[in-house]
Amino acid sequence: GENVEQHPSTLSVQEGDSAVIKCTYSDSASNYFPWYKQELGKGPQLIIDIRSNVGEKKDQRIAVTLNKTAKHFSLHITETQPEDSAVYFCAASPRDNYGQNFVFGPGTRLSVLP
Amino acid sequence: GAGVSQSPSNKVTEKGKDVELRCDPISGHTALYWYRQSLGQGLEFLIYFQGNSAPDKSGLPSDRFSAERTGGSVSTLTIQRTQQEDSAVYLCASIKGGGQETQYFGPGTRLLVL
């Protein structure tokens, strides 16, 4: 089955700097890769996603890149702000897989220091 | 509109007792997931409901865990004879169509087994 690894587990950056979180997946059949942000005491919330037919997607300060050959994808946050502090989860979704459609990485705790 | 709601928000119970956790998905969403999130960890898939299809129970850790979804809407996760290792946050998520789409998470139920 699919296995998703995520690095780093913790990341501290200065406000205004960029942050990059990387994930790798094992199942070449996976074709959908969402990123979720979880703030303290809340459930995860989708912030951006990418499908395997594109290599990059951007939404304001957030971007995701996908390398299908290497089976890895990354989240990029530019001009970080204190409110970006949270735990970020990547996920991979294997094609045509009923049930456990999403396999999540272990998470990255991002701290943006003022 | 209203998001996914879960109740109770917090539950403290004694080892050996049974607990029921409730999830109200977004109205009209056909698919529903339960996940377990241990302290500082990622999301562990438990069970998946899609419409009237048989649920995917492959993630349930033992036969003490069971779940129902009545009328294609509200879901209840039951843990019998709770153990201390069951202490975690239990998250519910719903998806409109059931495929590779955005999962909308509830705030979770924090379960503590003493």
Side-chain angles (χ1 to χ4, degrees), chain A residues 30-98:
Chain A
S30 288
N31 62 348
Y32 174 60
F33 308 92
W35 284 89
Y36 285 82
K37 174 184 180 182
Q38 185 176 28
E39 297 177 338
L40 191 63
K42 298 183 180 181
Q45 181 176 14
L46 181 77
I47 55 171
I48 195 167
D49 57 12
I50 191 167
R51 298 187 186 271
S52 59
N53 58 343
V54 298
E56 183 174 359
K57 184 176 179 180
K58 188 174 182 180
D59 182 4
Q60 298 183 0
R61 298 186 296 108
I62 296 173
V64 57
T65 59
L66 171 65
N67 184 325
K68 288 188 295 182
T69 303
K71 294 206 279 292
H72 68 69
F73 55 112
S74 299
L75 177 71
H76 304 253
I77 305 174
T78 59
E79 301 172 22
T80 53
Q81 301 168 4
E83 53 264 36
D84 294 329
S85 296
V87 178
Y88 290 81
F89 293 98
C90 62
S93 178
R95 186 180 305 137
D96 296 328
N97 185 28
Y98 176 79

Side-chain angles (χ1 to χ4, degrees), chain B residues 81-102:
Chain B
R81 305 181 303 281
T82 52
Q83 303 295 313
Q84 290 182 331
E85 58 263 31
D86 298 335
S87 297
V89 175
Y90 290 83
L91 290 162
C92 171
S94 69
I95 296 180
K96 186 175 184 180
Q100 294 173 325
E101 303 173 39
T102 302

Side-chain angles (χ1 to χ4, degrees), chain B:
Chain B
V4 177
S5 61
Q6 292 186 246
S7 61
S9 55
N10 293 280
K11 177 71 176 180
V12 181
T13 190
E14 293 179 348
K15 177 181 173 181
K17 300 284 188 182
D18 297 351
V19 295
E20 285 190 351
L21 313 180
R22 177 186 170 105
C23 172
D24 283 87
I26 294 174
S27 178
H29 279 201
T30 62
L32 187 148
Y33 287 82
W34 282 99
Y35 294 93
R36 180 168 69 177
Q37 186 174 32
S38 300
L39 186 62
Q41 301 298 309
L43 280 70
E44 175 189 2
F45 167 77
L46 296 178
I47 189 169
Y48 167 71
F49 295 91
Q50 170 58 47
N52 295 321
S53 301
D56 177 355
K57 304 178 182 179
S58 61
L60 295 178
S62 77
D63 59 7
R64 296 186 295 105
F65 288 72
S66 62
E68 293 184 335
R69 189 179 185 194
T70 56
S73 180
V74 172
S75 179
T76 302
L77 176 69
T78 301
I79 309 173
Q80 296 178 311
R81 305 181 303 281
T82 52
Q83 303 295 313
Q84 290 182 331
E85 58 263 31
D86 298 335
S87 297
V89 175
Y90 290 83
L91 290 162
C92 171
S94 69
I95 296 180
K96 186 175 184 180
Q100 294 173 325
E101 303 173 39
T102 302
Q103 292 188 85
Y104 293 88
F105 284 86
T109 292
R110 285 151 191 79
L111 175 66
L112 177 61
V113 182
L114 300 176

